[in-house]
Amino acid sequence: MTYVLYYWSGIPGRGEFVRLALEDAGIDYTDIAQTRGGDEKMLAALKANSKTPPFAPPYLKAGALTIGQTANILLFLGERHGLAPKSHAGCLWVNQLQLTIADLVAEVHEAHHPVAASLYYEDQKPEAARRTQNLREARLPKYLGYFDDVLAGSGTGWLAGRRLSYADLSLFHVIEGLRYAFALTMRRLEKRYRELGPLHDRVARRPRIAAYIASGRRLPFNEDGLFRHYPELDS
Amino acid sequence: MTYVLYYWSGIPGRGEFVRLALEDAGIDYTDIAQTRGGDEKMLAALKANSKTPPFAPPYLKAGALTIGQTANILLFLGERHGLAPKSHAGCLWVNQLQLTIADLVAEVHEAHHPVAASLYYEDQKPEAARRTQNLREARLPKYLGYFDDVLAGSGTGWLAGRRLSYADLSLFHVIEGLRYAFALTMRRLEKRYRELGPLHDRVARRPRIAAYIASGRRLPFNEDGLFRHYPELDS
């Protein structure tokens, strides 16, 4: 089956959660964002007649299927490519974790765009400052404390079961993104939630993830994406 | 299997999406919010030792399983109780639709709480006014236009396939919530997106949904929930 990933070029964004799964599973895929005119192709395919039209990128074409919503794409890939437990209960648990990661990621995005995603950050700076204070002091500790507890509870080094799942790959990316966006905050929080750093390092050492990072194909974080470094929002 | 639904008392909230599925499928369940001391029981069970701890309510206990995240609970119920297509591709499509509904619901909540969910609306009124204008003028038309297109494209009266799925029940609830919160806006948008009203009415006429509404157990919308009516935010 041929896989084609459609996402915006130039940012890791939500597409990166899908890329990490494809890379770790060693799946051959075309990344439209890395091709000429990628954004135009992505937008054209978004509007093309599909029986299961996506609301927004990322979406994955897998043979005749068009699959939208990040967590839904990962549910599909996880089951097919050994990135989720074999049991139905295990798949539900990984999906639950992934949806909680999606909630965290949405809140991180809201922090620099509390008024409207369609406005520039510069047009909502006072609101962003208030919101991000709440993110740093209340929401990030709550989410990171939760994942720290889950890791400590599983005792295997992975969030769910004895093997890595796509939720571990996503949490790895979240940790990288938060370190980029909120370096000072994360230095403090990682001292309190001590399972996060080791999970990050275990994922980074996976041969295919290490090769992906070394390849130069992994897009750097920047101020157009989900995880943005605005020094005035970190402390 | 015994089902127990855990959610906050006093608001429909995200618990209502699960209730509608349980009710339409005719599943026997205990609704902790309707029992004495429901909130305390829900919070206690949230902190109790589970192998799959939920981050937040709603969560469902189904025999030995504890299942969190609204869309994940619905994925589980849909497959088991005939509220999703039988094919794997069909299940993914309904999950995709449900996750898009979840995104819409989150944006509706953000509109009256753009600074922090933990602050009162009264402490973020100017920010809410700006955000809600964007919701009314850009985001709601985008989401409702999308679901209108999906309904028109399916041609069966339901979002996915020939039979009702849990996504139809959720969209019904969203339409009710939006009519409550943004009556003036919805009067305008429903003229433009003409599939929504008939979908709403088809769901409301389902015998078990009609019985549920008539029972008095369905909690009314109010200003503690997701869909809130603040006249200054509607126009």
Side-chain angles (χ1 to χ4, degrees), chain B residues 18-74:
Chain B
V18 182
R19 284 192 194 102
L20 286 168
L22 292 164
E23 295 284 345
D24 189 78
I27 300 168
D28 193 36
Y29 70 102
T30 300
D31 189 343
I32 286 292
Q34 304 270 8
T35 66
R36 249 170 75 111
D39 285 356
E40 289 69 29
K41 286 184 222 166
M42 184 276 286
L43 289 169
L46 190 63
K47 280 170 192 135
N49 213 5
S50 156
K51 285 191 172 172
T52 57
F55 180 73
Y59 57 96
L60 184 76
K61 297 214 179 195
L65 295 177
T66 300
I67 307 169
Q69 285 282 356
T70 309
N72 193 43
I73 301 170
L74 292 171

Side-chain angles (χ1 to χ4, degrees), chain A residues 51-56 65-72 75-76 79-80 88-89 91-93 95-97 99-101 103 107 110 113-119 123-124 127 130-132 134 138-139 142-143 146 150, chain B residues 51-56 65-72 75-76 79-80 88-89 91-93 95-97 99-101 103 107 110 113-119 123-124 127 130-132 134 138-139 142-143 146 150:
Chain A
K51 285 191 173 173
T52 57
F55 180 74
L65 295 177
T66 301
I67 307 169
Q69 285 283 354
T70 310
N72 193 44
L75 186 72
F76 168 81
E79 215 176 0
R80 275 179 104 89
H88 187 55
C91 284
L92 287 169
W93 172 227
N95 186 43
Q96 177 179 328
L97 290 166
L99 292 173
T100 305
I101 291 171
D103 287 345
E107 290 195 35
E110 292 290 341
H113 279 77
V115 175
S118 56
L119 293 176
D123 295 327
Q124 47 195 316
E127 295 90 344
R130 274 187 86 188
R131 171 117 190 189
T132 308
N134 183 263
R139 302 302 291 168
K142 184 166 176 174
Y143 278 107
Y146 172 79
V150 170
Chain B
K51 285 191 172 172
T52 57
F55 180 73
L65 295 177
T66 300
I67 307 169
Q69 285 282 356
T70 309
N72 193 43
L75 185 73
F76 169 79
E79 215 174 1
R80 276 179 103 89
H88 187 53
C91 283
L92 287 170
W93 172 225
N95 187 44
Q96 178 178 328
L97 290 166
L99 292 172
T100 306
I101 290 171
D103 287 346
E107 290 196 34
E110 292 290 341
H113 279 76
V115 175
S118 56
L119 293 176
D123 296 327
Q124 47 196 318
E127 295 90 344
R130 273 187 87 188
R131 171 118 190 186
T132 309
N134 183 264
R139 302 302 291 169
K142 183 165 176 175
Y143 278 108
Y146 171 78
V150 170

Side-chain angles (χ1 to χ4, degrees), chain A residues 74-178:
Chain A
L74 291 171
L75 186 72
F76 168 81
L77 291 175
E79 215 176 0
R80 275 179 104 89
H81 297 283
L83 290 175
K86 291 211 193 309
S87 72
H88 187 55
C91 284
L92 287 169
W93 172 227
V94 172
N95 186 43
Q96 177 179 328
L97 290 166
Q98 188 65 40
L99 292 173
T100 305
I101 291 171
D103 287 345
L104 161 54
V105 168
E107 290 195 35
V108 169
H109 184 268
E110 292 290 341
H112 48 73
H113 279 77
V115 175
S118 56
L119 293 176
Y120 289 111
Y121 164 65
E122 285 68 25
D123 295 327
Q124 47 195 316
K125 283 176 80 166
E127 295 90 344
R130 274 187 86 188
R131 171 117 190 189
T132 308
Q133 185 186 352
N134 183 263
L135 181 78
R136 286 194 313 266
E137 295 175 4
R139 302 302 291 168
L140 284 184
K142 184 166 176 174
Y143 278 107
L144 297 180
Y146 172 79
F147 290 112
D148 190 65
D149 283 348
V150 170
L151 282 166
S154 99
T156 62
W158 307 115
L159 287 165
R162 277 168 302 167
R163 295 177 53 205
L164 168 136
S165 71
Y166 61 81
D168 295 298
L169 298 171
S170 292
L171 186 56
F172 158 80
H173 186 61
V174 165
I175 294 166
E176 295 233 304
L178 291 174

Side-chain angles (χ1 to χ4, degrees), chain A residues 160-201:
Chain A
R162 277 168 302 167
R163 295 177 53 205
L164 168 136
S165 71
Y166 61 81
D168 295 298
L169 298 171
S170 292
L171 186 56
F172 158 80
H173 186 61
V174 165
I175 294 166
E176 295 233 304
L178 291 174
R179 285 178 181 172
Y180 172 80
F182 304 109
L184 301 175
T185 304
M186 283 300 279
R187 211 166 299 159
R188 208 166 53 241
L189 291 178
E190 288 196 51
K191 275 186 204 141
R192 206 186 316 165
Y193 305 118
R194 296 193 162 272
E195 301 283 341
L196 301 177
L199 180 276
H200 170 276
D201 296 349

Side-chain angles (χ1 to χ4, degrees), chain B residues 134-207:
Chain B
N134 183 264
L135 181 78
R136 285 195 314 266
E137 296 175 4
R139 302 302 291 169
L140 285 184
K142 183 165 176 175
Y143 278 108
L144 297 181
Y146 171 78
F147 289 112
D148 190 65
D149 283 349
V150 170
L151 282 166
S154 99
T156 62
W158 307 115
L159 287 164
R162 280 168 301 168
R163 294 178 56 204
L164 169 137
S165 71
Y166 60 82
D168 295 298
L169 298 170
S170 292
L171 186 55
F172 158 80
H173 186 62
V174 166
I175 294 167
E176 294 234 304
L178 290 174
R179 285 178 180 172
Y180 172 80
F182 303 108
L184 300 175
T185 305
M186 283 300 278
R187 212 166 299 161
R188 206 165 55 242
L189 292 177
E190 288 197 50
K191 276 188 204 139
R192 206 186 316 167
Y193 305 118
R194 297 192 161 273
E195 301 283 342
L196 301 178
L199 181 276
H200 170 275
D201 297 349
R202 272 189 293 279
V203 171
R205 280 195 305 268
R206 308 241 327 156

